[in-house]
Amino acid sequence: MRAELRLGTRLAVERAAVWLMASRGDGVARLVSSPWRADPYPTYARLREGTGVYRSKLRITSVATHALCSKVLRDRTFGVRSTDGAEPPPFAASGLPGEVEVIPSMLEVDAPDHTRLRALARPAFSPAKITGYRAGIEEATARLLERALAKDRFDLMADFAAPLPITVISALLGIPDVDSAAFVRYGRVLGASLDGTKSVRHARALRTANRELRALFTRLIAERTADPGPDVISALATSTGLTALELATTCELLLIAGFETTTNLIGNAVWTFARNPDQWDRLRADPALVGAAVDEVLRYEPPVQMTARIPHRDTEVAGTPVAANSMVIVLLGSAGRDPAAFERPDEFDIGRPKGADHLAFSSGAHYCLGAPLARLEGEIALGALAGALPAITAVAEPKWRKTTVIRGLSELWLSPGTGSRAG
Ligand code: HEM
């Protein structure tokens, strides 16, 4: 109880201090504070001004242009861990007593550990494996869509965008009898923890999610070690080179990275098309545009808006000195709106000529391992929706999640009918 009180007080004081800085115009503080967080794109435009490097009073440096984001992500001077021993806790740690042991995942470690962990997980995403996942994704998409469209109105997020990636990643990992509602909860709680622990309530929910996921994976790992199947848990459990804790952490990362993000890709796509009905008509008229449409959503409204890097030695970015072991945030969402990289960047245009690559899947050593799977899921989901919905008819204002790193909707109510458009 005392730990919760201490945590609650610390978080409240921190939040108030950050909000004060935001109200005084600090760009980075604005990205995490209300009301500015709801639409980060004007703040990004400000942060791209000048050299595109910004020093926040929060002692964080941000990089906002496409060129600098790309450079920092590829530059081996920058890692994800500090070298001075002052490690931040792994993103999923609640900070409360009684938590299962949480260690950093591949996303949070540098070479050589990163190279080893990534190499062990990579076979699950080989081109042959990705092709093999197609039929299952199409079947799950058709089933969920049929059920949603049979209703008078449906919540795209709860009825389609969340359960689809959960079904896909559960099949990949070989998790039987998926309890979708529980996984949605874990995903939300863990996804929100990318912003840091938000409240005592969030910390408690995080501890519970960690405990329950760990219990599930410990059981599945024991079963698959004894009796391996064709799934990814079996492959990881029977490979050498992973400690028991790394094995559980890798499974947990794949589960979380695999659905929170893809859910928001689908939600952000549908809402963006709702506001750009001419582009929806264009996609419906030419289904071959679906791959380009997914990439345009990833550029325009990416589910992961930013990531962080830590320089391993004193260095500089575009002439601004950056101290060893300080925090640099790389604004992936801003890179996609940089006019130096994309013409008319604030326009959503699924037919735009191929220009720079968006950075929605990051770049460099930590480039998203699941990107081919995410693209495939996005294409199948969007293609099926375009085939089924002549217009995207929102029946209520969508609800956005109150998170910064993950950008996405918590609710988007649609009518399956062909009536007038809203949004
Ligand atoms: C639209 C969907 C997705 C988006 C936007 C996305 C985005 C990202 C980003 C930005 C990173 C790197 C963060 C950094 O550089 O610090 C990342 C890493 C990763 N993603 Fe994804 N992701 C998506 C889907 C998936 C899926 C479906 C899976 C797996 C099933 C997955 C698994 C991973 C893993 C394992 C990493 C860590 C890679 C590493 O550290 O080497 N992601 N993702």
Side-chain angles (χ1 to χ4, degrees), residues 239-390:
S239 65
T240 49
L242 279 172
T243 66
L245 205 48
E246 283 173 342
L247 177 54
T249 303
T250 303
C251 292
E252 287 159 14
L253 172 69
L254 290 178
L255 179 71
I256 298 308
F259 79 77
E260 255 304 88
T261 46
T262 314
T263 295
N264 292 315
L265 166 62
I266 298 170
N268 293 0
V270 172
W271 180 238
T272 304
F273 274 109
R275 284 173 302 140
N276 294 274
D278 58 318
Q279 297 296 313
W280 190 241
D281 294 342
R282 197 166 170 192
L283 176 60
R284 280 176 49 79
D286 184 0
L289 280 175
V290 75
V294 166
D295 275 306
E296 179 65 349
V297 173
L298 287 166
R299 176 193 75 79
Y300 185 84
E301 199 67 282
V304 181
Q305 291 276 320
M306 64 190 71
T307 185
R309 291 293 184 267
I310 298 173
H312 286 165
R313 56 174 171 75
D314 289 345
T315 183
E316 54 82 30
V317 183
T320 303
V322 185
N325 297 317
S326 63
M327 164 87 85
V328 176
I329 54 170
V330 181
L331 300 173
L332 310 174
S334 173
R337 299 291 189 104
D338 183 351
F342 304 98
E343 274 177 34
R344 301 167 287 109
D346 295 322
E347 252 176 62
F348 178 67
D349 174 3
I350 63 172
R352 70 170 50 247
K354 175 93 188 93
D357 289 330
H358 61 69
L359 298 178
F361 290 126
S362 189
S363 187
H366 292 271
Y367 179 81
C368 176
L369 195 55
L373 179 64
R375 278 208 168 89
L376 182 64
E377 279 182 69
E379 287 176 21
I380 293 173
L382 205 53
L385 286 163
L389 296 175

Side-chain angles (χ1 to χ4, degrees), residues 79-102:
V80 293
R81 292 181 83 72
S82 61
T83 53
D84 60 3
E87 291 298 342
F91 82 81
S94 73
L96 288 178
E99 159 116 67
V100 290
E101 191 181 348
V102 180

Side-chain angles (χ1 to χ4, degrees), residues 73-357:
L73 291 171
R74 289 155 189 258
D75 185 342
R76 291 298 172 112
T77 313
F78 292 85
V80 293
R81 292 181 83 72
S82 61
T83 53
D84 60 3
E87 291 298 342
F91 82 81
S94 73
L96 288 178
E99 159 116 67
V100 290
E101 191 181 348
V102 180
I103 59 162
S105 69
M106 80 175 84
L107 202 51
E108 302 159 282
V109 295
D110 293 319
D113 280 343
H114 173 256
T115 321
R116 175 176 57 90
L117 295 172
R118 189 170 163 109
L120 288 165
R122 194 184 293 122
F125 301 96
S126 68
K129 282 274 164 65
I130 298 293
T131 309
Y133 300 140
R134 176 179 277 278
I137 302 174
E138 285 173 345
E139 188 271 323
T141 302
R143 184 169 36 82
L144 289 166
L145 202 55
E146 191 186 331
R147 218 181 291 162
L149 296 179
K151 301 182 180 181
D152 293 339
R153 46 184 244 155
F154 66 99
D155 176 7
L156 179 90
M157 303 313 291
D159 291 332
F160 184 74
L164 178 62
I166 291 172
T167 311
V168 173
I169 194 73
S170 300
L172 188 140
L173 290 171
I175 302 174
D177 304 327
V178 189
D179 179 353
S180 285
F183 279 1
V184 169
R185 244 186 0 259
Y186 303 153
R188 292 246 163 107
V189 169
L190 282 152
S193 74
L194 285 166
D195 290 357
T197 309
K198 304 183 115 186
S199 61
V200 171
R201 200 160 138 233
H202 179 218
R204 278 197 214 121
L206 197 52
R207 183 175 53 186
T208 306
N210 281 334
R211 272 194 200 143
E212 292 181 6
L213 278 179
R214 184 62 55 82
L216 171 75
F217 281 116
T218 305
R219 181 170 57 75
L220 289 173
I221 289 165
E223 281 173 19
R224 302 298 155 73
T225 308
D227 183 15
D231 57 88
V232 175
I233 296 183
S234 296
L236 289 171
T238 50
S239 65
T240 49
L242 279 172
T243 66
L245 205 48
E246 283 173 342
L247 177 54
T249 303
T250 303
C251 292
E252 287 159 14
L253 172 69
L254 290 178
L255 179 71
I256 298 308
F259 79 77
E260 255 304 88
T261 46
T262 314
T263 295
N264 292 315
L265 166 62
I266 298 170
N268 293 0
V270 172
W271 180 238
T272 304
F273 274 109
R275 284 173 302 140
N276 294 274
D278 58 318
Q279 297 296 313
W280 190 241
D281 294 342
R282 197 166 170 192
L283 176 60
R284 280 176 49 79
D286 184 0
L289 280 175
V290 75
V294 166
D295 275 306
E296 179 65 349
V297 173
L298 287 166
R299 176 193 75 79
Y300 185 84
E301 199 67 282
V304 181
Q305 291 276 320
M306 64 190 71
T307 185
R309 291 293 184 267
I310 298 173
H312 286 165
R313 56 174 171 75
D314 289 345
T315 183
E316 54 82 30
V317 183
T320 303
V322 185
N325 297 317
S326 63
M327 164 87 85
V328 176
I329 54 170
V330 181
L331 300 173
L332 310 174
S334 173
R337 299 291 189 104
D338 183 351
F342 304 98
E343 274 177 34
R344 301 167 287 109
D346 295 322
E347 252 176 62
F348 178 67
D349 174 3
I350 63 172
R352 70 170 50 247
K354 175 93 188 93
D357 289 330

